[in-house]
């Protein structure tokens, strides 16, 4: 079946530091990949996505590249801000078979950014 | 913008009570989902629905049921709430034309005492 593995958290950084949150996946076929962000007390918001190999998703200074050869979709940001403190979820969607339309999530990574 | 609205943000219920969590989306989406979120476990799919009156079990359906009588509304039902169902519940929806993007509500915090 499908699975998503994220790096262990929590992650604590100083403002303007470089961020990487690792994400690897297992899936059959050609899934779409997503990063969602959850700010304190809120639901999940789509941060970025990539739908095929070598696609790069980007938004708000965050980037992630769909690497089929390493089955990875690592999230990066060059300079984090305090407002980036949140929980980040990597997710996979398989558009075919019995799992059509369902997202499979990683366990989430808590990011805290200090001034 | 797509809006997914969950009727209750915070609920406290007693063990054995029947609990209804309501979710409404305003974008005529075909697919709707209920997830629960627990620390260290991420989001786990309880049930989903791909059309009115259609439903499928997700990964953890035990202790839950769902109802989808209208396209815009998807209800999660706890027939007899138990303390291990204390969690954050997230509703989501997705349409065929949304580029595979799934949109989430703000979540319902349920405490069963």
């Amino acid at each position: 079946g499908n699975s998503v593995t994220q790096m262990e958290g929590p992650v604590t950084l100083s403002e303007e530091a470089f961020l990487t949150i690792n994400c690897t996946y297992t899936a059959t076929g050609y899934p779409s990949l997503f990063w969602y962000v959850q700010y304190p007390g809120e639901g999940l918001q789509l941060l970025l996505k990539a739908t095929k190999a070598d696609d790069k998703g980007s938004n708000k200074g965050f980037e992630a590249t769909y690497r089929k050869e390493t089955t990875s979709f690592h999230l990066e940001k060059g300079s984090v801000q305090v407002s980036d403190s949140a929980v980040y979820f990597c997710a996979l969607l398989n558009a075919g078979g019995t799992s059509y339309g369902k997202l499979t999530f990683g366990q989430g990574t808590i990011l805290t950014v200090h001034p | 913008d797509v809006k997914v609205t969950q009727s209750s943000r915070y609920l406290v219920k007693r063990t054995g009570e029947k609990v209804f969590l309501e979710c409404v989306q305003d974008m005529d989406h075909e697919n709707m989902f209920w997830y629960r979120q627990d620390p260290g476990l991420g989001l786990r799919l309880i049930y989903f629905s791909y059309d009115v009156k259609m439903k499928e079990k997700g990964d953890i359906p035990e202790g839950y049921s769902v109802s989808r009588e209208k396209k815009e509304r998807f209800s999660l039902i706890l027939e007899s709430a138990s303390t291990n169902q204390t969690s954050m519940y997230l509703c989501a929806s997705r349409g065929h034309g949304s580029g595979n993007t799934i949109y989430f509500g703000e979540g319902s915090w349920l405490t069963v005492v």
Side-chain angles (χ1 to χ4, degrees):
Chain A
N2 301 327
S3 67
V4 176
T5 302
Q6 289 182 233
M7 66 183 289
E8 294 283 335
V11 175
T12 303
L13 295 173
S14 297
E15 207 164 25
E16 299 184 3
F18 184 85
L19 168 70
T20 300
I21 301 178
N22 289 340
C23 172
T24 57
Y25 68 90
T26 302
T28 56
Y30 302 95
S32 296
L33 300 173
F34 303 81
W35 278 100
Y36 279 84
V37 59
Q38 184 179 36
Y39 298 105
E42 297 184 12
L44 273 69
Q45 302 174 26
L46 178 66
L47 181 59
L48 53 84
K49 68 179 183 181
T51 57
K52 61 183 188 295
D54 300 324
D55 266 3
K56 176 185 283 188
S58 61
N59 186 27
K60 300 181 181 180
F62 291 89
E63 292 183 343
T65 302
Y66 188 158
R67 302 283 188 202
K68 191 166 176 62
E69 64 276 14
T70 55
T71 61
S72 65
F73 192 54
H74 304 321
L75 183 68
E76 297 182 336
K77 187 175 185 182
S79 176
V80 293
Q81 305 300 313
V82 172
S83 56
D84 294 326
S85 298
V87 184
Y88 292 82
F89 291 93
C90 185
L92 169 162
L93 187 148
N94 240 333
T98 58
S99 56
Y100 178 75
K102 296 189 295 182
L103 277 174
T104 300
F105 284 89
Q107 72 271 36
T109 302
I110 299 171
L111 170 66
T112 302
V113 180
H114 292 299
Chain B
D1 278 356
V2 175
K3 192 160 181 63
V4 179
T5 303
Q6 295 183 228
S7 56
S8 303
R9 291 298 309 275
Y10 303 96
L11 305 92
V12 179
K13 298 292 181 180
R14 294 192 181 279
T15 300
E17 275 193 77
K18 190 169 186 176
V19 181
F20 293 86
L21 300 179
E22 306 285 348
C23 175
V24 176
Q25 50 93 3
D26 66 356
M27 283 300 292
D28 203 37
H29 282 173
E30 291 80 11
N31 301 331
M32 296 188 75
F33 309 83
W34 275 106
Y35 288 86
R36 66 175 281 176
Q37 180 182 1
D38 300 287
L41 297 176
L43 275 74
R44 294 178 291 166
L45 181 66
I46 304 171
Y47 268 96
F48 71 103
S49 167
Y50 48 89
D51 205 346
V52 177
K53 296 190 187 294
M54 308 301 283
K55 60 185 180 184
E56 281 200 25
K57 294 180 180 179
D59 300 317
I60 52 163
E62 295 79 19
Y64 303 94
S65 62
V66 290
S67 171
R68 188 142 182 228
E69 295 297 318
K70 294 184 178 181
K71 192 174 187 180
E72 67 271 18
R73 187 179 296 271
F74 191 37
S75 303
L76 180 69
I77 303 156
L78 287 68
E79 295 289 342
S80 177
S82 63
T83 55
N84 63 11
Q85 292 178 309
T86 292
S87 187
M88 162 82 134
Y89 291 88
L90 287 160
C91 176
S93 75
R94 172 179 173 268
H96 289 322
S98 65
N100 283 337
T101 299
I102 293 180
Y103 298 89
F104 283 84
E106 292 194 328
S108 298
W109 285 98
L110 172 65
T111 302
V112 183
V113 297

